[in-house]
Amino acid sequence: KKVADRIVKLFAIDPEGQKREVVGLAGHSLLRALTNSGLIDPASHRLEEIDACSAECEVNIAQEWLEKLPPRTYDEEYVLVRNSRGRILNKHSRLGCQVVLTPQLQGMVVAVPEPKPWDIP
């Protein structure tokens, strides 16, 4: 396939509430698309390694897109719960490193939350 055939355009709501277009490639992670667009600091995460994940790549997926994603894996759920720090886990929360882009996700809307206080240097 040509690269042009693999392009997936999505929209991210940044921490200031601005809607930004993000371009990724089918087969790559949502995290990679968000880091390439400057919305998530690439130094804060080892792109696809859930074993090294501490939820810096947590995003919120708009309701209408949740059903188009596979359910969270046990490992993803574990990382999200571990990092919830006692708050109720949001059903929209996903780890960007675990969401694989597909053509069916064209136009998906995600929100990138503000860095958590323990993430800020």
Side-chain angles (χ1 to χ4, degrees), residues 25-62:
L25 292 176
H28 288 187
S29 71
L30 173 59
L31 174 62
R32 183 173 288 183
L34 293 171
T35 56
N36 287 344
S37 68
L39 285 163
I40 292 181
D41 178 11
S44 72
H45 199 285
R46 294 180 186 112
L47 285 177
E48 320 302 329
E49 300 175 31
I50 195 163
D51 294 340
C53 188
S54 59
E56 293 95 345
C57 66
E58 182 178 344
V59 296
N60 292 302
I61 307 291

Side-chain angles (χ1 to χ4, degrees), residues 9-115:
K9 291 184 182 178
L10 4 136
F11 297 96
I13 309 302
D14 69 20
E16 289 79 41
Q18 300 298 313
K19 187 175 186 179
R20 296 177 46 184
E21 185 176 78
V22 174
V23 177
L25 292 176
H28 288 187
S29 71
L30 173 59
L31 174 62
R32 183 173 288 183
L34 293 171
T35 56
N36 287 344
S37 68
L39 285 163
I40 292 181
D41 178 11
S44 72
H45 199 285
R46 294 180 186 112
L47 285 177
E48 320 302 329
E49 300 175 31
I50 195 163
D51 294 340
C53 188
S54 59
E56 293 95 345
C57 66
E58 182 178 344
V59 296
N60 292 302
I61 307 291
Q63 178 66 39
E64 62 271 19
W65 295 97
L66 285 176
E67 63 201 34
K68 296 183 183 193
L69 295 174
R72 294 187 285 226
T73 64
Y74 173 82
D75 290 337
E76 182 179 8
E77 187 90 18
Y78 175 80
V79 170
L80 287 166
V81 168
R82 182 185 69 204
N83 288 285
S84 67
R85 307 259 173 148
R87 64 180 165 83
I88 296 173
L89 187 59
N90 179 342
K91 73 176 183 173
H92 299 274
S93 291
R94 295 298 301 260
L95 296 176
C97 64
Q98 299 303 298
V99 175
V100 177
L101 298 178
T102 65
Q104 293 75 25
L105 298 179
Q106 184 89 339
M108 180 171 67
V109 178
V110 303
V112 179
E114 291 184 19

